[in-house]
Amino acid sequence: MSDKKKTNLPGGLKGFKFKIYWIYALIFVFFIGLNFMGTEVTKPTNWQEFNQNMLQTQKVEKVVIVNKEKAYIHIKKEFLYEEQFKEVSKRTFGDALNLGPHYYFEIGSVETFSNNLKEAQSEFDNEEKISPFYETRKDVFGDILGWILPLAFFIFIWLFIMKRMSGGAGGGGGGQIFNIGKTKGKLVDKADIKVSFKDVAGLEGAKEEITEIVDFLKSPEKYTKLGGKIPKGALLVGPPGTGKTLLAKAVAGEAKVPFFSLSGSDFVEMFVGVGASRVRDLFKQAKEKSPAIIFIDEIDAIGRARGKNAMTGSNDERENTLNQLLTEMDGFGTNSGVIVMAATNRADVLDKALTRAGRFDRQIFVDLPDLLERKAIFEVHLKPIKLSESMDINFLARQTPGFSGADIANVCNEAALIAARKSKKKVEKQDFLDAVDRIIGGLEKKSKIISPNEKKTIAYHEAGHATVSWMLEYASPLVKVTIVPRGKSLGAAWYLPEERQLTTTEQMLDEICAAMGGRAAEEVFFGRISTGALSDLEKVTKMAYAMVSMYGLSKEVGNISYYDSSGQQSGFTKPYSEERAQLIDKEVSRILEEEYTRAKEVLTSNKDKVEKLGAELLEKEVIFKADLETIFGARKWKSYEEEQLLKLDDEKAESEKKAKKEVVVENKENTTEVKEE
């Protein structure tokens, strides 16, 4: 019972924490109270009022001159009960009589005041005259506050700055200056990790490679008893948003081990040696909780190759941190149960010593998802969203080529917001299309003023792109084309590129030709060209230069590549002669002109259909793949991914049909058994 009462007390001791700042506050309040307690009520006045109302009426007991600056007047006790002295008759606190001083005023100079006082009392008897007293006083409390308050202010500022420098209250150090060398890694306990491989859609290859690490953390003796050495580190490499961090969390969730998560920039501080100290503390804590996983996100912040800026000396602290990391990774035993995982999208800039065997033994590439993986990612992100019954996930996967996992999550969220904005009860196909359009192209600008001639030019430009891409085998087929301004573009076309691992010369030439279709249409139908093809020209020029100088796809230049994968090549010097540069430029011009001529030929041979498509664009402003099939007929070629999707759908439908049959047979058998009984 006693414990219960103690707990229920208001402001009870449970969870009570004493803070040293409370003592400082109490001392401050005490001094303030000491200053005000017992002080007398003293009102300001002037010489005229003092002379007329107090001195001449002989109500003044004495006058005290303090520090030759102020005159303090004491009123006789018997007159304090009068109405004019009511305000000064009592003390500040309580009802006790105020014995003075009651009034004060500035005297100017002592000599002048003395003369005035003598003159004012010239008609008084000698026993009625008063003479001033002189005192020198020091304001002890004011003097103390005068040097204590500035000192306290500077101490507070210093503590505040030191606390911010050490990263606030993060990283196990409590945010104090003496704990600045503590790691800022966030420990996620095995009970708090809810992510597993089931939550990671796609990334099948990466998951296979990393399963070995999970298996070791679950049962390390399986490997160590045979004398095997487990990889000390795994480096996840891939574009942003592909799920590198999520994959690392899934590893920790599968293995059921503590997970230290931090960023590469968390090691870097303005103080020398802090980064190395934090690395040591991180590995110390991980060993204490082994088996454990250390995950360093964006490791390129501290793992860049050393010696690049040796002349400036600006990288000393970062290099010290890297050196300590290298030492720790090579220093702990193979059976300590600590595995380091790291993620970066800049693997090319990492130090060679970091990626060698014995440190980051495994480099796991996490690429952008292909068609089938995008379908799996959509299935994960669409679970919490209320979809319409007609929603086709295959369609969504086909509409998002080159999208990362984060981009797909953004599409799903944006589609839900668009549907909610339109007050829909379910998210429909059109909402997803609008979401993709908004993410890729930006917001629609229907209010933008465009003249009829400009609008017609834009319509035929986009119709040219659509026609050429539809007629060429290796060009990306059209998905949607619009002449509604979006972002900075006046018109836009969405294509479905085939996801290739290898690209042939014919494929690249077809893509260049399709990109030139817009300008070609302007020349064929209007006899003039415009600046609207700027982005197309930029794209095809880069592709043509890549064909000639990088991939060796030009017969004139030959099987030569001037591509530098190491990134060491300076941009100011070229690895070829001036004659070679002229040849490359000549080849690029030839390729572009040939493909431009081919695009004009395709448009001229289908002139009637292009005009029909352009007119439909002007009328509807947005047309889809189905509209092109109506005008040009079905496209002859299908991509391999589409065929795989259709195959998977057929297999899924077949398995569902088989499962239904099994259920029906089982129900019949159960019914027969009941009848026999």
Side-chain angles (χ1 to χ4, degrees):
M1 288 296 286
S2 62
D3 293 341
K4 191 174 181 181
K5 285 181 181 178
K6 192 174 181 181
T7 307
N8 291 334
L9 283 172
L13 297 176
K14 190 176 180 181
F16 177 82
K17 290 184 179 179
F18 178 77
K19 296 187 182 294
I20 192 69
Y21 302 109
W22 296 354
I23 295 178
Y24 301 152
L26 288 172
I27 293 171
F28 184 75
V29 170
F30 172 75
F31 275 108
I32 297 294
L34 194 67
N35 190 48
F36 285 101
M37 288 295 290
T39 56
E40 318 296 344
V41 177
T42 308
K43 298 288 183 181
T45 186
N46 52 54
W47 167 258
Q48 289 79 10
E49 189 178 345
F50 161 70
N51 187 28
Q52 293 174 8
N53 299 333
M54 304 173 202
L55 187 62
Q56 297 300 326
T57 55
Q58 297 184 354
K59 296 178 181 179
V60 178
E61 184 180 353
K62 63 178 178 179
V63 177
V64 181
I65 308 298
V66 178
N67 298 334
K68 299 180 180 181
E69 294 176 353
K70 290 183 180 179
Y72 288 88
I73 297 99
H74 293 249
I75 305 297
K76 292 179 180 178
K77 189 175 179 181
E78 59 267 24
F79 297 108
L80 288 173
Y81 298 100
E82 294 182 1
E83 186 66 28
Q84 66 173 335
F85 303 123
K86 189 177 179 181
E87 291 183 354
V88 297
S89 63
K90 303 287 183 179
R91 290 175 180 263
T92 308
F93 300 98
D95 294 329
L97 195 66
N98 183 14
L99 300 176
H102 302 101
Y103 296 95
Y104 73 93
F105 61 89
E106 302 281 344
I107 62 172
S109 70
V110 176
E111 188 178 352
T112 304
F113 178 76
S114 299
N115 293 334
N116 291 338
L117 190 63
K118 256 183 207 180
E119 190 178 342
Q121 301 180 98
S122 59
E123 298 181 359
F124 288 11
D125 296 335
N126 288 331
E127 63 271 9
E128 294 174 345
K129 291 181 180 178
I130 59 171
S131 299
F133 297 90
Y134 294 92
E135 288 184 9
T136 302
R137 296 179 187 174
K138 288 185 177 180
D139 186 7
V140 179
F141 183 75
D143 292 343
I144 291 172
L145 285 182
W147 64 268
I148 283 182
L149 286 180
L151 182 63
F153 175 75
F154 283 115
I155 290 173
F156 173 77
I157 294 295
W158 182 77
L159 289 173
F160 178 76
I161 291 172
M162 291 298 104
K163 190 171 182 179
R164 294 301 297 264
M165 284 179 181
S166 62
Q176 301 301 322
I177 185 66
F178 301 107
N179 296 311
I180 194 172
K182 299 290 184 182
T183 179
K184 298 172 77 175
K186 181 184 177 184
L187 174 61
V188 184
D189 201 70
K190 55 186 176 183
D192 300 328
I193 302 173
K194 309 294 183 185
V195 182
S196 65
F197 283 153
K198 292 179 181 178
D199 303 307
V200 184
L203 308 181
E204 298 301 327
K207 282 195 286 189
E208 283 179 16
E209 287 191 52
I210 216 162
T211 304
E212 189 176 331
I213 295 173
V214 176
D215 196 27
F216 167 70
L217 291 170
K218 284 183 177 178
S219 53
E221 64 281 348
K222 176 181 172 183
Y223 297 89
T224 55
K225 70 180 182 182
L226 297 175
K229 294 180 180 179
I230 297 301
K232 293 182 181 180
L235 183 64
L236 302 173
V237 183
T242 50
K244 298 184 292 293
T245 307
L246 183 66
L247 188 60
K249 285 183 180 179
V251 171
E254 287 285 333
K256 303 292 182 188
V257 297
F259 183 77
F260 290 86
S261 174
L262 71 166
S263 173
S265 59
D266 289 337
F267 294 106
V268 184
E269 199 65 72
M270 67 176 289
F271 299 112
V272 177
V274 171
S277 177
R278 287 179 177 174
V279 171
R280 285 193 294 270
D281 187 63
L282 173 65
F283 279 85
K284 181 185 174 184
Q285 291 189 31
K287 288 176 192 177
E288 289 172 356
K289 294 186 176 289
S290 65
I293 292 175
I294 296 173
F295 177 64
I296 306 172
D297 204 4
E298 308 298 340
I299 196 173
D300 52 279
I302 59 167
R304 286 177 177 266
R306 292 164 291 180
K308 289 292 181 69
N309 295 327
M311 296 195 58
T312 62
S314 59
N315 289 336
D316 285 347
E317 174 58 14
R318 182 183 58 73
E319 288 186 6
N320 290 341
T321 307
L322 175 59
N323 291 338
Q324 187 62 47
L325 179 63
L326 296 174
T327 304
E328 291 290 337
M329 287 191 69
D330 213 24
F332 62 82
T334 54
N335 301 329
S336 63
V338 179
I339 287 179
V340 184
M341 295 184 67
T344 181
N345 50 14
R346 297 290 311 280
D348 55 314
V349 302
L350 294 180
D351 197 276
K352 300 295 182 188
L354 196 62
T355 55
R356 75 157 176 83
R359 290 190 176 119
F360 284 110
D361 305 278
R362 303 282 177 87
Q363 287 196 26
I364 301 170
F365 293 95
V366 185
D367 293 329
L368 290 170
D370 57 21
L371 188 63
L372 301 177
E373 288 175 338
R374 287 200 303 273
K375 182 185 177 184
I377 296 169
F378 264 113
E379 287 173 349
V380 170
H381 290 295
L382 290 175
K383 283 180 183 177
I385 296 176
K386 295 181 180 178
L387 299 173
S388 67
E389 290 77 10
S390 60
M391 182 55 66
D392 183 13
I393 298 178
N394 290 343
F395 174 78
L396 297 178
R398 285 194 293 270
Q399 295 298 309
T400 51
F403 277 45
S404 65
D407 294 331
I408 291 172
N410 191 23
V411 167
C412 295
N413 184 60
E414 193 68 40
L417 295 178
I418 291 170
R421 204 176 296 125
K422 295 176 181 177
S423 301
K424 294 182 179 179
K425 293 183 179 179
K426 291 184 178 181
V427 185
E428 299 173 353
K429 177 180 174 181
Q430 188 58 44
D431 300 321
F432 281 96
L433 290 173
D434 294 342
V436 172
D437 294 352
R438 184 167 182 175
I439 291 168
I440 296 175
L443 287 170
E444 284 190 3
K445 295 182 179 179
K446 292 186 177 181
S447 59
K448 201 167 196 175
I449 300 171
I450 301 173
S451 68
N453 287 334
E454 285 181 335
K455 196 171 182 181
K456 190 176 181 181
T457 303
I458 296 166
Y460 275 81
H461 181 104
E462 299 300 336
H465 283 306
T467 303
V468 177
S469 65
W470 195 262
M471 293 298 175
L472 299 180
E473 181 179 356
Y474 300 113
S476 303
L478 184 86
V479 173
K480 174 185 174 181
V481 61
T482 177
I483 58 171
V484 176
R486 208 178 261 279
K488 292 183 179 180
S489 63
L490 299 174
W494 280 261
Y495 300 93
L496 184 65
E498 187 178 352
E499 295 171 30
R500 312 183 186 107
Q501 305 302 319
L502 297 172
T503 305
T504 64
T505 308
E506 291 77 19
Q507 289 168 344
M508 293 193 77
L509 291 175
D510 279 4
E511 288 178 11
I512 292 173
C513 185
M516 300 288 274
R519 169 159 284 192
E522 291 180 23
E523 186 177 339
V524 169
F525 290 95
F526 303 109
R528 62 181 185 273
I529 55 177
S530 69
T531 58
L534 174 61
S535 60
D536 302 326
L537 295 176
E538 183 187 3
K539 175 186 172 182
V540 297
T541 304
K542 287 180 179 177
M543 288 179 69
Y545 270 107
M547 286 179 66
V548 177
S549 63
M550 191 184 298
Y551 299 120
L553 299 179
S554 169
K555 290 181 180 179
E556 292 293 327
V557 177
N559 299 319
I560 297 175
S561 176
Y562 298 107
Y563 175 67
D564 180 29
S565 60
S566 64
Q568 303 293 323
Q569 187 177 305
S570 173
F572 298 102
T573 58
K574 301 292 183 183
Y576 42 78
S577 63
E578 287 295 324
E579 290 80 8
R580 179 65 63 165
Q582 291 178 7
L583 180 61
I584 291 171
D585 291 342
K586 187 179 176 182
E587 272 296 287
V588 168
S589 298
R590 181 189 64 79
I591 290 170
L592 295 181
E593 288 303 318
E594 284 181 2
E595 295 310 313
Y596 182 64
T597 304
R598 185 155 72 108
K600 288 195 290 185
E601 290 172 359
V602 172
L603 292 171
T604 306
S605 59
N606 296 276
K607 199 169 184 178
D608 297 339
K609 294 177 181 177
V610 178
E611 286 181 342
K612 191 176 179 181
L613 183 62
E616 198 162 342
L617 255 176
L618 283 169
E619 183 184 348
K620 295 181 179 178
E621 291 191 336
V622 180
I623 59 173
F624 296 92
K625 180 182 176 182
D627 300 309
L628 262 78
E629 288 178 344
T630 306
I631 297 171
F632 295 98
R635 202 164 183 265
K636 301 176 183 177
W637 311 280
K638 284 186 180 179
S639 66
Y640 174 73
E641 285 85 359
E642 285 188 282
E643 292 176 358
Q644 289 294 108
L645 270 180
L646 293 170
K647 187 179 176 182
L648 284 175
D649 288 344
D650 292 340
E651 289 176 358
K652 187 178 179 182
E654 189 66 32
S655 61
E656 288 177 356
K657 191 177 177 181
K658 190 177 178 182
K660 285 180 181 178
K661 283 183 179 179
E662 288 176 355
V663 169
V664 171
V665 170
E666 189 177 345
N667 290 336
K668 284 182 178 179
E669 288 176 353
N670 292 336
T671 308
T672 307
E673 287 176 4
V674 170
K675 284 181 178 178
E676 286 176 354
E677 286 176 2

